[in-house]
């Protein structure tokens, strides 16, 4: 497996190939600035070649029995397990999150491989009674064709597996364009797919900018499905462009997730959940908590307990097992996060801790930001409404559960929410009235399991879900087959008087 080579290639039609231009772009370690590798700076011609390879491979792959396709995914699961530690270290070097989190990222891929491998013997359709004698009907799932997977950098293995594995087990072929900040993890995953026995051309990977490689995929007539995860801004663009050729599009986009802490909450438990959800992955999870909506009766106590815990979080290189919070992904993201500190202050929020770029010692080599807490945040402030995607948390005070739920729902995003309370009646209310795709009771906003549907509402998604059985839907087309064995013309759904 390729771990040390400095220059990497696209994988198209079973062959490793450089960009036609010969140009490359560097992949940086955000903790140190070190260059990890150089990747092909591809464009439209490489994207077109990858789609052609996937289109050609589709004719055979769709005819491979689904249980056999699933067996390849089982082998992928075994290989991911064997290489887990190495993959986790590669991922930490390339995107910064701490090792226990990158191990978790690979584990999601393992779980998804086994789950979707099992789908090879399910892929449930259904049959129901038909209204005429000597006739049957069955609804089955067909693969659709070439799936373009466009993925972000924050879960560089997990998210590609959420897209590729259901697409593959259903009989589709794939072109993946991973985020330019995390090409190596995606490349390693593709290597593993081929080591597991995937036929040539069934998965193709093309590196390069969203603005060229991604655009080419959105506009290619032979791409049938676009599965995109990334920012809401890019997702909206993807939806508009892909709609022009009526592609099926699945979008998983931004979040502005909240933890609600009511006056009867176990505060110590809530603090554990808030710390993990807000500062884990340096706040760069789509499900990261960036708002704490707290009842006024416990606001002061919560902040007093939370602040020392935030200040104890250890910043540093994620390869160091004693580090809690790694770097943010790149310099422009660091600037964006810092700009929100200025925005928050200008809006009148109170900066309680953090709020600065970390430049102490070794940290100066990377993109580190001190874990930040704002209090006195109003629900309509930009701090409370816009996705920052960094270690910045806002505390919003409310007077009741009704107000807490209203503030939670007053967001253009709708991915994940959490509520801390001991009262079963309040739990039931939250379950009924909170309008996000995921809700945690007495736990933080992160920690989705792959056997359940994952996704969100409003600006977070466009109605599709990834993972679980629901994750198959976007990659299959329903086909209903009626068999009439009566030997005569029978007319269904016609008024009896016409028969
Ligand atoms: P991004 O900038 O939108 O990029 C996502 C992917 O889209 C990258 O591969 C990017 O390529 C590509 N892209 C950019 N412009 C494109 C275009 N014009 N046409 C086609 N593709 C294009 O997002 P990100 O910064 O990588 O990821 C962070 C965002 O993802 C956050 O908003 C986060 O909430 C969201 N996210 C959501 C979920 C979820 O499941 N809801 C999960 C994880 C992350 P380049 O890298 O080459 O620019």
């Amino acid at each position: 497996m390729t771990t040390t080579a400095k220059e990497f290639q696209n994988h198209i039609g079973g062959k490793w190939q450089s960009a036609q231009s010969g140009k490359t772009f560097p992949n940086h370690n955000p903790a140190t600035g070190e260059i990890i590798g150089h990747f092909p700076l591809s464009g439209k011609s490489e994207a077109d070649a990858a789609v052609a390879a996937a289109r050609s491979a589709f004719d055979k792959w769709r005819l491979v029995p689904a249980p056999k396709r699933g067996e390849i995914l089982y082998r992928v699961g075994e290989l991911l397990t064997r290489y887990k530690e190495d993959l986790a270290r590669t991922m930490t070097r390339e995107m910064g999150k701490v090792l226990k989190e990158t191990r978790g990222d690979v584990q999601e891929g393992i779980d998804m491989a086994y789950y979707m491998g099992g789908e090879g013997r399910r892929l449930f359709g259904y049959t129901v009674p038909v209204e005429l004698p000597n006739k049957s009907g069955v609804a089955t799932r067909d693969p659709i064709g070439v799936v373009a997977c466009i993925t972000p950098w924050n879960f560089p293995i997990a998210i590609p597996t959420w897209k590729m594995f259901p697409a593959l087990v259903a009989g589709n072929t794939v072109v993946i364009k991973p985020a330019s900040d995390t090409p190596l993890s995606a490349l390693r995953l593709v290597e593993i797919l081929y080591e597991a026995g995937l036929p040539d051309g069934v998965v193709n990977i093309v590196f390069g900018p969203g603005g060229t490689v991604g655009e080419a995929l959105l506009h290619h007539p032979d791409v049938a499905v676009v599965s995109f995860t990334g920012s809401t801004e890019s997702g909206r663009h993807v939806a508009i462009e892909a709609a022009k050729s009526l592609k099926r599009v699945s979008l998983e986009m931004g979040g502005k997730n909240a933890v609600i802490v009511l006056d009867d909450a176990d505060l110590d438990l809530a603090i554990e959940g808030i710390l993990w959800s807000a500062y884990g992955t340096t706040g760069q999870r789509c499900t990261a908590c960036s708002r704490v909506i707290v009842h006024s009766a416990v606001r002061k106590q919560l902040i007093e307990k939370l602040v020392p815990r935030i200040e104890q979080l250890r910043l540093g290189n994620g390869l160091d097992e004693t580090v809690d919070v790694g770097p943010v992904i790149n310099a422009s993201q660091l600037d964006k996060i810092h700009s929100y500190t200025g925005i928050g202050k200008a809006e009148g929020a109170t900066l309680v801790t953090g709020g600065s770029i970390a430049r102490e010692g070794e940290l100066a080599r990377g993109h580190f930001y001190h874990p930040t807490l704002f209090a006195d945040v109003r629900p309509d402030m930009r701090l409370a409404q816009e996705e920052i995607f960094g270690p910045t948390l806002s505390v919003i005070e409310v007077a009741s559960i009704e107000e807490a739920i209203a503030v939670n729902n007053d967001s253009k995003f709708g991915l994940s929410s959490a509520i801390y309370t001991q009262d079963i009646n309040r739990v039931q209310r939250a379950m009924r009235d909170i309008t996000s795709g995921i809700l945690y009771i007495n736990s933080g906003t992160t920690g989705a399991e792959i056997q359940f549907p994952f996704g969100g509402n409003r600006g977070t998604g466009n109605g599709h879900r990834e993972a679980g059985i629901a994750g198959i839907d976007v990659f299959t087309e329903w086909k209903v087959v009626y068999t009439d064995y009566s030997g005569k013309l029978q007319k269904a759904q016609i008024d009896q008087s016409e028969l």
Side-chain angles (χ1 to χ4, degrees):
M1 297 183 68
T2 318
T3 48
T4 51
K6 278 286 181 188
E7 190 163 331
F8 299 92
Q9 294 179 306
N10 295 322
H11 195 267
I12 299 174
K15 294 193 180 69
W16 293 104
Q17 339 184 338
S18 302
Q20 279 180 13
S21 67
K23 291 184 182 162
T24 60
F25 65 94
N27 177 23
H28 293 278
N29 180 333
T32 62
E34 145 210 30
I35 291 181
I36 294 169
H38 297 273
F39 286 80
L41 188 66
S42 316
K44 183 174 182 307
S45 58
E46 290 81 5
D48 287 351
V51 175
R55 181 64 196 82
S56 152
F58 176 65
D59 292 336
K60 279 193 182 157
W61 180 245
R62 75 182 182 88
L63 299 179
V64 173
K68 297 287 170 206
R69 299 193 295 250
E71 282 168 22
I72 294 178
L73 292 183
Y74 284 134
R75 285 199 289 280
V76 171
E78 287 163 11
L79 292 170
L80 284 169
T81 305
R82 188 187 307 164
Y83 302 135
K84 181 174 173 179
E85 186 61 21
D86 183 45
L87 291 165
R89 286 180 178 276
T90 297
M91 196 188 302
T92 294
R93 282 176 66 216
E94 118 170 306
M95 65 74 66
K97 64 186 173 186
V98 299
L99 271 177
K100 62 174 178 265
E101 293 177 4
T102 52
R103 289 179 189 128
D105 193 307
V106 181
Q107 187 59 45
E108 274 188 40
I110 294 167
D111 296 340
M112 190 59 90
Y114 291 135
Y115 185 91
M116 288 301 166
E119 276 306 305
R121 288 192 183 267
R122 287 186 294 265
L123 283 177
F124 288 132
Y126 61 91
T127 180
V128 287
V130 297
E131 66 182 42
L132 293 167
N134 297 321
K135 185 183 168 190
S136 66
V138 60
T140 60
R141 291 173 182 274
D142 273 355
I144 306 181
V146 177
V147 174
C149 300
I150 301 178
T151 56
W153 46 264
N154 64 338
F155 282 86
I157 286 190
I159 289 178
T161 69
W162 293 0
K163 298 181 183 306
M164 290 202 285
F165 294 177
L168 292 173
V169 81
N172 303 282
T173 55
V174 167
V175 177
I176 178 167
K177 192 222 89 66
S180 297
D181 280 313
T182 51
L184 186 52
S185 297
L187 179 141
R188 298 289 311 275
L189 179 60
V190 170
E191 286 177 334
I192 285 169
L193 279 159
Y194 281 101
E195 191 177 341
L198 200 71
D200 285 349
V202 172
V203 168
N204 306 274
I205 187 163
V206 183
F207 302 100
T212 53
V213 176
E215 286 291 334
L217 295 174
L218 301 183
H219 295 107
H220 199 296
D222 284 341
V223 169
V225 182
V226 178
S227 179
F228 169 88
T229 299
S231 63
T232 301
E233 190 187 5
S234 303
R236 184 177 289 111
H237 175 78
V238 166
I240 290 167
E241 292 307 310
K244 291 176 181 166
S245 49
L246 296 180
K247 297 186 194 319
R248 191 181 287 200
V249 179
S250 148
L251 303 173
E252 295 291 344
M253 301 173 287
K256 191 72 190 174
N257 313 291
V259 170
I260 296 173
V261 183
L262 295 181
D263 50 353
D264 65 340
D266 177 337
L267 282 192
D268 293 324
L269 186 66
I271 279 163
E272 296 305 324
I274 291 166
L275 282 169
W276 176 236
S277 306
Y279 302 109
T281 317
T282 324
Q284 302 171 113
R285 292 182 187 141
C286 49
T287 53
C289 167
S290 59
R291 299 181 291 160
V292 171
I293 302 169
V294 61
H295 193 284
S296 45
V298 290
R299 171 194 173 274
K300 186 164 175 284
Q301 211 186 339
L302 182 89
I303 292 175
E304 277 171 8
K305 280 176 175 256
L306 193 54
V307 171
R309 294 291 306 277
I310 294 171
E311 290 173 350
Q312 278 160 20
L313 292 172
R314 193 154 171 258
L315 270 184
N317 188 329
L319 290 175
D320 175 346
E321 303 263 11
T322 67
V323 159
D324 300 302
V325 179
V328 302
I329 187 69
N330 56 36
S332 70
Q333 191 54 24
L334 188 67
D335 288 345
K336 179 181 169 192
I337 292 163
H338 190 48
S339 78
Y340 274 94
T341 295
I343 290 167
K345 286 183 191 165
E347 287 179 310
T350 306
L351 178 63
V352 182
T353 188
S356 57
I357 294 172
R359 303 191 196 281
E360 308 90 79
E362 288 287 294
L363 299 181
R365 294 170 59 206
H367 310 302
F368 290 94
Y369 203 74
H370 287 121
T372 299
L373 184 73
F374 274 98
D376 307 317
V377 177
R378 286 194 318 275
D380 60 343
M381 288 180 178
R382 289 182 63 190
L383 211 50
Q385 288 291 338
E386 297 176 10
E387 186 181 48
I388 301 169
F389 222 54
T392 301
L393 180 63
S394 294
V395 178
I396 302 169
E397 185 179 347
V398 291
S400 64
I401 182 175
E402 290 79 11
E403 190 183 352
I405 291 175
V407 169
N408 177 83
N409 292 347
D410 176 25
S411 168
K412 62 184 176 190
F413 304 106
L415 182 52
S416 184
S417 301
I419 185 164
Y420 283 84
T421 176
Q422 308 290 322
D423 181 340
I424 186 69
N425 296 327
R426 290 166 148 192
V427 167
Q428 290 295 323
R429 246 178 144 147
M431 286 170 64
R432 186 191 62 194
D433 294 339
I434 281 181
T435 57
S436 53
I438 304 167
L439 170 63
Y440 293 89
I441 313 295
N442 290 326
S443 183
T445 53
T446 66
E449 299 188 22
I450 62 98
Q451 66 276 25
F452 286 103
F454 180 91
N457 309 329
R458 301 188 287 278
T460 296
N462 66 337
H464 293 285
R465 289 293 185 268
E466 295 194 310
I469 300 172
I472 299 281
D473 289 344
V474 76
F475 302 116
T476 56
E477 196 78 82
W478 283 110
K479 181 193 280 169
V480 178
V481 181
Y482 297 103
T483 304
D484 190 323
Y485 49 99
S486 69
K488 58 186 179 189
L489 176 63
Q490 300 197 93
K491 295 176 183 169
Q493 310 266 270
I494 297 290
D495 192 295
Q496 286 302 316
S497 61
E498 293 183 25
L499 288 175

